[in-house]
Amino acid sequence: MSFYSIISKYKNYNFTEFCASITPEKVTAILERDTLTEKDYLALLSDAAAPFLEQMAQKADRITRRHFGSVIFIFTPLYISNYCDNSCAYCSFGRQQTIRRRHLSFDEIRAEALRISAGGIRHVLVLTGEARAKATPAYCEGALRILRDYFSSIAIEIYPLTEGEYHDLIGCGADGLTIYQETYEEDRYGMLHSGGPKQDYGFRLEAPERACRQGIRSVTVGALLGLSDPVRDAFSAGLHAAYLQRTFPEVEVSVAFPRLRPLVADFKQEYPVSDRRLAQTIAALRLFLPTAGITLSTRETANFRNAALPLGVTRMSAGVSTAVGGHTSPEATPQFEIADTRTVDEVKDDLLRLGFQPVMHDWNGKYVRNQD
Ligand code: SF4
């Protein structure tokens, strides 16, 4: 059974009615359980659970430390191309936007890799827009062959691929896949993605499964909070991660809840997500999925990221530029404004001060590749 058939069961589900039925007594009973059902998770996302944030946070911290210790993995994104055939209403790289397009040459990718790795980063996340004729799978393979000389772990956040294409990229050194569904609400997804190949909701939704079948080591899924009902999207992302954990127990599964950042001036945010709502969402996810990774990006401020650490966070980006070639050309156009501009060393210092252990290097793809 694919995830599409699972999430389809909730297409016409009345989330509002369910959440309105949750009482403080029900939340208290859920917080006493060791194992949560998917409906328990949904209850913890409801407004009725908001006053219980402190109890949720304390339990989330205990569970996280049991499974992950105090470790926070650090990585940096590397944007290599911003050509895009899609017209996502909320993105400054959309084809309808007039921006300077850049597509790094292999020499430029090597220069970015040198600059990033000099700062101690060993885990990198490679990003492109969705322009198959420009950032072709062969181009991505070439980029990976360069990057694997500099980094021990390389994840990709690019357009959804076929199973055979994932197989080839894994063979070139990709060991992780990040792909957000943006919103799991299919009708809303259709409204926000009115042009380009990204209109295919199902092909994107099942991309993580295709990569898992081809032996990817880790996947990160999630929703871009702010595009649609955040309770429904957070619930769906949690179900997605649970499905992947069940179906592919050998794969490390993580979840992220990036929040929409301002940059596209004409996009009206109808579903703003408060700090408190995001904190509740992260803690609820941790209680539902005790062993899933949780990523928190530089879309959030340094203050929020520091405060959110005990809620269950296990991975953070640092030293981030969201512009193509932004590590060597700071004037390049960013995809969105980051809120946490700390350097890698500043993030590490703050983690240590707060009692967490920053880890730059927990996996060595080079070692595995050398065994093949
Ligand atoms: S979100 Fe991704 S696919 Fe959509 S316009 Fe931006 S870069 Fe392109």
Short mmCIF file of all heavy atoms in Angstrom, two decimals, residues 19-77:
data_model
loop_
_atom_site.label_atom_id
_atom_site.label_comp_id
_atom_site.label_asym_id
_atom_site.label_seq_id
_atom_site.Cartn_x
_atom_site.Cartn_y
_atom_site.Cartn_z
N CYS A 19 -10.94 18.01 16.32
CA CYS A 19 -10.17 18.83 17.28
C CYS A 19 -11.09 19.47 18.31
O CYS A 19 -10.72 19.63 19.48
CB CYS A 19 -9.36 19.89 16.52
SG CYS A 19 -7.97 19.16 15.63
N ALA A 20 -12.31 19.83 17.88
CA ALA A 20 -13.26 20.45 18.82
C ALA A 20 -13.73 19.45 19.87
O ALA A 20 -14.20 19.83 20.95
CB ALA A 20 -14.46 21.00 18.04
N SER A 21 -13.60 18.16 19.59
CA SER A 21 -14.06 17.13 20.54
C SER A 21 -13.00 16.83 21.61
O SER A 21 -13.26 16.06 22.55
CB SER A 21 -14.39 15.83 19.79
OG SER A 21 -13.19 15.19 19.38
N ILE A 22 -11.81 17.39 21.48
CA ILE A 22 -10.73 17.08 22.43
C ILE A 22 -10.90 17.93 23.69
O ILE A 22 -11.07 19.15 23.63
CB ILE A 22 -9.34 17.34 21.79
CG1 ILE A 22 -9.19 16.50 20.52
CG2 ILE A 22 -8.22 17.03 22.78
CD1 ILE A 22 -9.37 15.01 20.71
N THR A 23 -10.85 17.26 24.83
CA THR A 23 -10.99 17.94 26.13
C THR A 23 -9.66 17.88 26.89
O THR A 23 -8.79 17.05 26.56
CB THR A 23 -12.05 17.21 26.98
OG1 THR A 23 -11.58 15.86 27.18
CG2 THR A 23 -13.40 17.18 26.29
N PRO A 24 -9.49 18.71 27.92
CA PRO A 24 -8.27 18.62 28.74
C PRO A 24 -8.07 17.22 29.32
O PRO A 24 -6.94 16.74 29.42
CB PRO A 24 -8.52 19.66 29.84
CG PRO A 24 -9.47 20.64 29.23
CD PRO A 24 -10.35 19.85 28.32
N GLU A 25 -9.16 16.55 29.68
CA GLU A 25 -9.04 15.20 30.25
C GLU A 25 -8.46 14.23 29.21
O GLU A 25 -7.61 13.38 29.53
CB GLU A 25 -10.42 14.68 30.71
CG GLU A 25 -11.00 15.41 31.90
CD GLU A 25 -11.48 16.83 31.57
OE1 GLU A 25 -11.85 17.08 30.40
OE2 GLU A 25 -11.46 17.69 32.48
N LYS A 26 -8.90 14.37 27.97
CA LYS A 26 -8.36 13.50 26.93
C LYS A 26 -6.87 13.76 26.70
O LYS A 26 -6.08 12.83 26.51
CB LYS A 26 -9.13 13.71 25.61
CG LYS A 26 -10.51 13.08 25.59
CD LYS A 26 -11.18 13.29 24.23
CE LYS A 26 -12.58 12.67 24.25
NZ LYS A 26 -13.35 12.97 23.03
N VAL A 27 -6.48 15.03 26.71
CA VAL A 27 -5.05 15.36 26.53
C VAL A 27 -4.23 14.77 27.67
O VAL A 27 -3.17 14.16 27.45
CB VAL A 27 -4.85 16.89 26.43
CG1 VAL A 27 -3.36 17.22 26.35
CG2 VAL A 27 -5.58 17.46 25.22
N THR A 28 -4.73 14.92 28.89
CA THR A 28 -4.02 14.37 30.06
C THR A 28 -3.83 12.87 29.92
O THR A 28 -2.75 12.33 30.18
CB THR A 28 -4.80 14.68 31.36
OG1 THR A 28 -4.95 16.09 31.45
CG2 THR A 28 -4.08 14.17 32.58
N ALA A 29 -4.88 12.18 29.49
CA ALA A 29 -4.78 10.72 29.33
C ALA A 29 -3.76 10.35 28.24
O ALA A 29 -2.98 9.40 28.40
CB ALA A 29 -6.16 10.16 28.97
N ILE A 30 -3.73 11.10 27.17
CA ILE A 30 -2.77 10.82 26.08
C ILE A 30 -1.34 11.01 26.57
O ILE A 30 -0.44 10.21 26.26
CB ILE A 30 -3.06 11.74 24.86
CG1 ILE A 30 -4.38 11.33 24.21
CG2 ILE A 30 -1.92 11.68 23.85
CD1 ILE A 30 -4.91 12.35 23.20
N LEU A 31 -1.14 12.05 27.38
CA LEU A 31 0.23 12.33 27.85
C LEU A 31 0.72 11.26 28.83
O LEU A 31 1.93 11.18 29.09
CB LEU A 31 0.29 13.72 28.49
CG LEU A 31 0.16 14.88 27.49
CD1 LEU A 31 0.16 16.23 28.20
CD2 LEU A 31 1.29 14.83 26.47
N GLU A 32 -0.18 10.44 29.35
CA GLU A 32 0.26 9.36 30.24
C GLU A 32 0.62 8.09 29.48
O GLU A 32 1.15 7.15 30.04
CB GLU A 32 -0.85 9.06 31.26
CG GLU A 32 -0.91 10.15 32.34
CD GLU A 32 -2.14 10.05 33.21
OE1 GLU A 32 -2.92 9.09 33.03
OE2 GLU A 32 -2.33 10.94 34.06
N ARG A 33 0.32 8.05 28.18
CA ARG A 33 0.60 6.83 27.41
C ARG A 33 2.03 6.82 26.88
O ARG A 33 2.59 7.87 26.58
CB ARG A 33 -0.33 6.76 26.19
CG ARG A 33 -1.74 6.40 26.58
CD ARG A 33 -2.65 6.37 25.35
NE ARG A 33 -3.99 6.59 25.83
CZ ARG A 33 -4.92 7.32 25.26
NH1 ARG A 33 -4.68 7.91 24.11
NH2 ARG A 33 -6.10 7.47 25.80
N ASP A 34 2.58 5.60 26.72
CA ASP A 34 3.92 5.47 26.14
C ASP A 34 3.88 5.45 24.62
O ASP A 34 4.81 5.87 23.96
CB ASP A 34 4.58 4.17 26.63
CG ASP A 34 4.95 4.28 28.10
OD1 ASP A 34 5.17 5.41 28.56
OD2 ASP A 34 5.00 3.24 28.78
N THR A 35 2.80 4.91 24.08
CA THR A 35 2.69 4.80 22.63
C THR A 35 1.43 5.50 22.17
O THR A 35 0.35 5.29 22.72
CB THR A 35 2.58 3.30 22.22
OG1 THR A 35 3.68 2.60 22.81
CG2 THR A 35 2.63 3.14 20.71
N LEU A 36 1.58 6.35 21.16
CA LEU A 36 0.45 7.15 20.70
C LEU A 36 -0.10 6.63 19.37
O LEU A 36 0.67 6.24 18.48
CB LEU A 36 0.90 8.61 20.49
CG LEU A 36 0.74 9.57 21.68
CD1 LEU A 36 1.41 9.02 22.92
CD2 LEU A 36 1.29 10.94 21.32
N THR A 37 -1.41 6.65 19.25
CA THR A 37 -2.04 6.35 17.96
C THR A 37 -2.01 7.62 17.10
O THR A 37 -1.71 8.72 17.59
CB THR A 37 -3.51 5.94 18.15
OG1 THR A 37 -4.22 7.10 18.65
CG2 THR A 37 -3.65 4.79 19.12
N GLU A 38 -2.39 7.47 15.82
CA GLU A 38 -2.39 8.66 14.97
C GLU A 38 -3.44 9.67 15.43
O GLU A 38 -3.22 10.87 15.34
CB GLU A 38 -2.54 8.29 13.48
CG GLU A 38 -3.78 7.51 13.12
CD GLU A 38 -3.68 6.96 11.69
OE1 GLU A 38 -2.65 6.34 11.34
OE2 GLU A 38 -4.65 7.15 10.93
N LYS A 39 -4.53 9.19 15.99
CA LYS A 39 -5.56 10.12 16.49
C LYS A 39 -5.07 10.81 17.77
O LYS A 39 -5.42 11.97 18.03
CB LYS A 39 -6.87 9.39 16.73
CG LYS A 39 -7.58 8.96 15.45
CD LYS A 39 -8.12 10.14 14.69
CE LYS A 39 -8.74 9.79 13.35
NZ LYS A 39 -9.82 8.83 13.39
N ASP A 40 -4.26 10.10 18.59
CA ASP A 40 -3.66 10.77 19.75
C ASP A 40 -2.78 11.93 19.29
O ASP A 40 -2.78 13.02 19.89
CB ASP A 40 -2.79 9.78 20.54
CG ASP A 40 -3.59 8.71 21.28
OD1 ASP A 40 -4.80 8.91 21.48
OD2 ASP A 40 -2.98 7.68 21.63
N TYR A 41 -2.01 11.65 18.24
CA TYR A 41 -1.13 12.70 17.70
C TYR A 41 -1.97 13.90 17.25
O TYR A 41 -1.64 15.06 17.56
CB TYR A 41 -0.32 12.10 16.55
CG TYR A 41 0.52 13.07 15.75
CD1 TYR A 41 1.34 14.02 16.37
CD2 TYR A 41 0.50 13.04 14.34
CE1 TYR A 41 2.12 14.90 15.62
CE2 TYR A 41 1.27 13.91 13.59
CZ TYR A 41 2.08 14.85 14.23
OH TYR A 41 2.83 15.71 13.48
N LEU A 42 -3.03 13.62 16.55
CA LEU A 42 -3.89 14.71 16.08
C LEU A 42 -4.46 15.50 17.27
O LEU A 42 -4.52 16.73 17.24
CB LEU A 42 -5.02 14.13 15.22
CG LEU A 42 -6.01 15.14 14.62
CD1 LEU A 42 -5.28 16.23 13.83
CD2 LEU A 42 -7.01 14.41 13.71
N ALA A 43 -4.81 14.79 18.32
CA ALA A 43 -5.34 15.47 19.51
C ALA A 43 -4.30 16.42 20.11
O ALA A 43 -4.62 17.52 20.56
CB ALA A 43 -5.78 14.45 20.55
N LEU A 44 -3.03 15.98 20.10
CA LEU A 44 -1.97 16.84 20.66
C LEU A 44 -1.68 18.05 19.79
O LEU A 44 -1.03 19.00 20.23
CB LEU A 44 -0.69 16.03 20.88
CG LEU A 44 -0.75 14.95 21.95
CD1 LEU A 44 0.62 14.33 22.16
CD2 LEU A 44 -1.27 15.51 23.28
N LEU A 45 -2.13 18.01 18.54
CA LEU A 45 -1.97 19.17 17.66
C LEU A 45 -3.12 20.16 17.81
O LEU A 45 -3.06 21.27 17.28
CB LEU A 45 -1.89 18.71 16.19
CG LEU A 45 -0.65 17.88 15.80
CD1 LEU A 45 -0.84 17.26 14.41
CD2 LEU A 45 0.60 18.75 15.81
N SER A 46 -4.16 19.77 18.52
CA SER A 46 -5.37 20.60 18.59
C SER A 46 -5.18 21.78 19.55
O SER A 46 -4.27 21.79 20.38
CB SER A 46 -6.55 19.74 19.07
OG SER A 46 -6.37 19.44 20.45
N ASP A 47 -6.08 22.74 19.46
CA ASP A 47 -6.04 23.89 20.37
C ASP A 47 -6.19 23.45 21.82
O ASP A 47 -5.65 24.08 22.73
CB ASP A 47 -7.16 24.87 20.02
CG ASP A 47 -6.88 25.62 18.73
OD1 ASP A 47 -5.72 25.57 18.26
OD2 ASP A 47 -7.81 26.23 18.18
N ALA A 48 -6.95 22.37 22.05
CA ALA A 48 -7.17 21.91 23.42
C ALA A 48 -5.87 21.49 24.09
O ALA A 48 -5.75 21.52 25.32
CB ALA A 48 -8.17 20.74 23.42
N ALA A 49 -4.86 21.09 23.28
CA ALA A 49 -3.59 20.65 23.87
C ALA A 49 -2.63 21.81 24.10
O ALA A 49 -1.61 21.65 24.78
CB ALA A 49 -2.93 19.61 22.96
N ALA A 50 -2.96 22.99 23.57
CA ALA A 50 -2.03 24.13 23.68
C ALA A 50 -1.65 24.45 25.13
O ALA A 50 -0.48 24.71 25.42
CB ALA A 50 -2.63 25.35 22.98
N PRO A 51 -2.60 24.44 26.10
CA PRO A 51 -2.20 24.75 27.48
C PRO A 51 -1.27 23.70 28.10
O PRO A 51 -0.73 23.93 29.18
CB PRO A 51 -3.55 24.78 28.23
CG PRO A 51 -4.59 24.94 27.17
CD PRO A 51 -4.05 24.27 25.96
N PHE A 52 -1.09 22.57 27.43
CA PHE A 52 -0.25 21.49 27.96
C PHE A 52 1.15 21.51 27.36
O PHE A 52 1.89 20.53 27.45
CB PHE A 52 -0.91 20.13 27.69
CG PHE A 52 -2.20 19.91 28.42
CD1 PHE A 52 -3.38 20.41 27.93
CD2 PHE A 52 -2.21 19.19 29.62
CE1 PHE A 52 -4.57 20.22 28.61
CE2 PHE A 52 -3.39 19.00 30.31
CZ PHE A 52 -4.58 19.51 29.81
N LEU A 53 1.51 22.63 26.74
CA LEU A 53 2.79 22.67 26.02
C LEU A 53 3.97 22.35 26.94
O LEU A 53 4.89 21.63 26.55
CB LEU A 53 2.98 24.06 25.36
CG LEU A 53 4.29 24.24 24.59
CD1 LEU A 53 4.47 23.16 23.53
CD2 LEU A 53 4.33 25.63 23.95
N GLU A 54 3.95 22.85 28.15
CA GLU A 54 5.08 22.60 29.05
C GLU A 54 5.22 21.10 29.35
O GLU A 54 6.32 20.56 29.29
CB GLU A 54 4.88 23.40 30.35
CG GLU A 54 6.06 23.32 31.32
CD GLU A 54 7.38 23.74 30.68
OE1 GLU A 54 7.40 24.69 29.87
OE2 GLU A 54 8.41 23.09 30.98
N GLN A 55 4.10 20.43 29.65
CA GLN A 55 4.18 18.98 29.90
C GLN A 55 4.63 18.23 28.65
O GLN A 55 5.42 17.30 28.73
CB GLN A 55 2.82 18.43 30.34
CG GLN A 55 2.36 18.87 31.72
CD GLN A 55 1.37 20.02 31.63
OE1 GLN A 55 1.62 21.04 30.98
NE2 GLN A 55 0.23 19.87 32.29
N MET A 56 4.12 18.63 27.52
CA MET A 56 4.54 17.99 26.26
C MET A 56 6.04 18.18 26.03
O MET A 56 6.75 17.25 25.63
CB MET A 56 3.75 18.59 25.07
CG MET A 56 2.28 18.19 25.05
SD MET A 56 1.33 19.13 23.83
CE MET A 56 2.04 18.56 22.30
N ALA A 57 6.51 19.39 26.31
CA ALA A 57 7.92 19.69 26.07
C ALA A 57 8.81 18.84 26.98
O ALA A 57 9.84 18.30 26.55
CB ALA A 57 8.18 21.18 26.30
N GLN A 58 8.41 18.71 28.25
CA GLN A 58 9.24 17.94 29.18
C GLN A 58 9.31 16.47 28.76
O GLN A 58 10.37 15.85 28.78
CB GLN A 58 8.69 18.06 30.59
CG GLN A 58 8.98 19.42 31.22
CD GLN A 58 8.38 19.58 32.60
OE1 GLN A 58 7.95 18.61 33.21
NE2 GLN A 58 8.35 20.79 33.08
N LYS A 59 8.18 15.93 28.34
CA LYS A 59 8.17 14.53 27.91
C LYS A 59 8.94 14.36 26.60
O LYS A 59 9.68 13.39 26.42
CB LYS A 59 6.72 14.05 27.76
CG LYS A 59 6.62 12.56 27.55
CD LYS A 59 5.21 12.03 27.69
CE LYS A 59 5.20 10.52 27.49
NZ LYS A 59 3.87 9.95 27.47
N ALA A 60 8.79 15.33 25.70
CA ALA A 60 9.52 15.26 24.43
C ALA A 60 11.03 15.28 24.68
O ALA A 60 11.79 14.55 24.03
CB ALA A 60 9.11 16.44 23.54
N ASP A 61 11.47 16.09 25.62
CA ASP A 61 12.90 16.17 25.94
C ASP A 61 13.40 14.83 26.48
O ASP A 61 14.45 14.33 26.07
CB ASP A 61 13.12 17.30 26.95
CG ASP A 61 14.60 17.59 27.14
OD1 ASP A 61 15.37 17.47 26.16
OD2 ASP A 61 14.99 17.96 28.26
N ARG A 62 12.62 14.23 27.38
CA ARG A 62 13.05 12.93 27.96
C ARG A 62 13.16 11.88 26.86
O ARG A 62 14.14 11.12 26.80
CB ARG A 62 12.03 12.46 29.01
CG ARG A 62 12.12 13.17 30.35
CD ARG A 62 11.41 12.39 31.45
NE ARG A 62 10.00 12.16 31.19
CZ ARG A 62 9.03 13.04 31.45
NH1 ARG A 62 9.33 14.22 31.97
NH2 ARG A 62 7.76 12.75 31.20
N ILE A 63 12.17 11.82 25.98
CA ILE A 63 12.17 10.81 24.93
C ILE A 63 13.34 11.04 23.97
O ILE A 63 14.04 10.10 23.58
CB ILE A 63 10.84 10.87 24.14
CG1 ILE A 63 9.69 10.40 25.03
CG2 ILE A 63 10.91 10.02 22.88
CD1 ILE A 63 8.31 10.60 24.40
N THR A 64 13.57 12.30 23.62
CA THR A 64 14.65 12.59 22.67
C THR A 64 16.00 12.20 23.24
O THR A 64 16.84 11.59 22.57
CB THR A 64 14.65 14.09 22.31
OG1 THR A 64 13.34 14.46 21.90
CG2 THR A 64 15.62 14.37 21.17
N ARG A 65 16.23 12.55 24.51
CA ARG A 65 17.53 12.24 25.11
C ARG A 65 17.72 10.72 25.25
O ARG A 65 18.84 10.22 25.16
CB ARG A 65 17.70 12.95 26.44
CG ARG A 65 17.89 14.46 26.24
CD ARG A 65 18.16 15.19 27.53
NE ARG A 65 17.99 16.62 27.36
CZ ARG A 65 18.97 17.49 27.12
NH1 ARG A 65 20.20 17.07 26.98
NH2 ARG A 65 18.73 18.77 27.01
N ARG A 66 16.61 9.99 25.44
CA ARG A 66 16.72 8.53 25.53
C ARG A 66 17.19 7.95 24.19
O ARG A 66 17.99 7.02 24.14
CB ARG A 66 15.38 7.93 25.94
CG ARG A 66 15.48 6.43 26.23
CD ARG A 66 14.10 5.82 26.49
NE ARG A 66 13.29 6.61 27.38
CZ ARG A 66 11.96 6.71 27.31
NH1 ARG A 66 11.31 6.05 26.37
NH2 ARG A 66 11.30 7.45 28.14
N HIS A 67 16.69 8.49 23.10
CA HIS A 67 16.99 7.91 21.79
C HIS A 67 18.18 8.54 21.07
O HIS A 67 18.84 7.90 20.27
CB HIS A 67 15.76 8.00 20.88
CG HIS A 67 14.65 7.11 21.33
ND1 HIS A 67 14.67 5.74 21.13
CD2 HIS A 67 13.50 7.37 21.99
CE1 HIS A 67 13.58 5.21 21.65
NE2 HIS A 67 12.84 6.17 22.17
N PHE A 68 18.44 9.81 21.34
CA PHE A 68 19.48 10.52 20.59
C PHE A 68 20.57 11.10 21.48
O PHE A 68 21.51 11.71 20.96
CB PHE A 68 18.85 11.68 19.79
CG PHE A 68 17.89 11.24 18.71
CD1 PHE A 68 16.54 11.08 18.98
CD2 PHE A 68 18.34 10.98 17.43
CE1 PHE A 68 15.64 10.67 18.00
CE2 PHE A 68 17.47 10.58 16.43
CZ PHE A 68 16.12 10.42 16.72
N GLY A 69 20.47 10.96 22.79
CA GLY A 69 21.40 11.65 23.67
C GLY A 69 21.18 13.15 23.55
O GLY A 69 20.06 13.62 23.33
N SER A 70 22.27 13.92 23.63
CA SER A 70 22.15 15.38 23.52
C SER A 70 22.74 15.88 22.20
O SER A 70 23.15 17.03 22.09
CB SER A 70 22.88 16.04 24.69
OG SER A 70 22.31 15.60 25.90
N VAL A 71 22.77 14.98 21.23
CA VAL A 71 23.47 15.28 19.97
C VAL A 71 22.59 16.08 19.01
O VAL A 71 21.40 15.80 18.86
CB VAL A 71 23.87 13.93 19.32
CG1 VAL A 71 24.20 14.10 17.85
CG2 VAL A 71 25.03 13.32 20.07
N ILE A 72 23.17 17.10 18.39
CA ILE A 72 22.51 17.84 17.31
C ILE A 72 23.43 17.78 16.08
O ILE A 72 24.58 18.22 16.14
CB ILE A 72 22.27 19.32 17.68
CG1 ILE A 72 21.42 19.44 18.96
CG2 ILE A 72 21.62 20.06 16.50
CD1 ILE A 72 19.96 19.06 18.82
N PHE A 73 22.91 17.22 15.00
CA PHE A 73 23.70 17.12 13.76
C PHE A 73 23.61 18.43 13.00
O PHE A 73 22.54 19.02 12.87
CB PHE A 73 23.18 15.97 12.88
CG PHE A 73 23.25 14.65 13.59
CD1 PHE A 73 22.11 14.04 14.07
CD2 PHE A 73 24.46 14.02 13.79
CE1 PHE A 73 22.16 12.84 14.75
CE2 PHE A 73 24.53 12.82 14.47
CZ PHE A 73 23.38 12.23 14.95
N ILE A 74 24.74 18.86 12.47
CA ILE A 74 24.82 20.14 11.75
C ILE A 74 25.07 19.89 10.26
O ILE A 74 25.92 19.06 9.92
CB ILE A 74 25.99 20.97 12.30
CG1 ILE A 74 25.88 21.11 13.80
CG2 ILE A 74 26.09 22.32 11.57
CD1 ILE A 74 25.34 22.37 14.31
N PHE A 75 24.34 20.60 9.42
CA PHE A 75 24.58 20.50 7.97
C PHE A 75 24.38 21.88 7.35
O PHE A 75 23.87 22.80 7.99
CB PHE A 75 23.63 19.48 7.33
CG PHE A 75 22.19 19.91 7.33
CD1 PHE A 75 21.63 20.53 6.21
CD2 PHE A 75 21.39 19.74 8.45
CE1 PHE A 75 20.31 20.95 6.20
CE2 PHE A 75 20.06 20.17 8.46
CZ PHE A 75 19.52 20.78 7.33
N THR A 76 24.80 21.99 6.09
CA THR A 76 24.60 23.25 5.36
C THR A 76 24.00 22.97 4.00
O THR A 76 24.43 22.02 3.33
CB THR A 76 25.95 23.99 5.20
OG1 THR A 76 26.19 24.76 6.37
CG2 THR A 76 25.94 24.94 4.03
N PRO A 77 23.02 23.79 3.57
CA PRO A 77 22.50 23.65 2.21
C PRO A 77 23.46 24.26 1.19
O PRO A 77 24.17 25.22 1.49
CB PRO A 77 21.19 24.46 2.23
CG PRO A 77 21.01 24.95 3.62
CD PRO A 77 22.30 24.79 4.35
#
